[in-house]
Amino acid sequence: MSHAFVPYNGTAGWSGTDTSEQRALDNIHSGRELNNQQKALKFLKSRGIDGGTWKELASATGWHHGTASGVLSVLHQSGAIVRTINRRHRCKVYVHQDFKDQVTHCKFKRREKFCPHCGNDINA
């Protein structure tokens, strides 16, 4: 992985505030986002088919919930990892793509956005 996956306007996402947007941009420019994504991939690859949850990733890295869950969500969206149908300690379990054929997993699904005029799903 030579560059960070940045699906949200050139970032890995932000909450909508100007400070959150600035943090997201800083993370891209400093290389922190790429580093975090690489750490998460390495963590999940080391766990094999057992995978990991956001809590386990946070515990291993010292990250808070937002960082750990955000990185997992973006990597899931990118296809680098899959989310299994399993839960561990009330958390969803993610597995590195190298092990995806050995687990039952679900596809990343964007939230439905409906057209205010016709009612159809805009993402479809």
Side-chain angles (χ1 to χ4, degrees):
M1 182 171 170
S2 61
H3 62 279
F5 184 68
V6 290
Y8 304 107
N9 291 335
T11 75
W14 69 88
S15 70
T17 66
D18 57 344
T19 54
S20 179
E21 180 181 11
Q22 189 58 53
R23 177 215 34 88
L25 292 169
D26 289 345
N27 283 351
I28 295 301
H29 297 305
S30 69
R32 192 174 310 117
E33 190 62 42
L34 174 60
N35 186 45
N36 287 352
Q37 290 179 13
Q38 289 173 332
K39 281 182 182 178
L41 286 170
K42 184 177 179 182
F43 170 79
L44 289 175
K45 194 166 190 172
S46 75
R47 308 240 338 172
I49 62 170
D50 291 333
T53 67
W54 78 262
K55 284 183 183 177
E56 294 162 347
L57 178 61
S59 178
T61 58
W63 297 342
H64 61 80
H65 169 264
T67 300
S69 66
V71 167
L72 290 172
S73 179
V74 165
L75 289 173
H76 182 217
Q77 183 176 350
S78 78
I81 66 175
V82 295
R83 189 175 68 213
T84 72
I85 62 168
N86 301 323
R87 292 176 186 252
R88 190 160 50 239
H89 306 289
R90 299 185 315 165
C91 297
K92 298 192 178 189
V93 177
Y94 293 85
V95 172
H96 192 279
Q97 67 177 347
D98 288 356
F99 305 101
K100 71 180 180 183
D101 294 333
Q102 299 170 50
V103 299
T104 304
H105 61 276
C106 50
K107 182 179 173 186
F108 181 84
K109 184 175 186 229
R110 293 186 184 276
R111 286 190 177 153
E112 294 177 329
K113 289 184 183 177
F114 296 103
C115 174
H117 306 290
C118 68
N120 289 331
D121 182 359
I122 294 171
N123 293 326

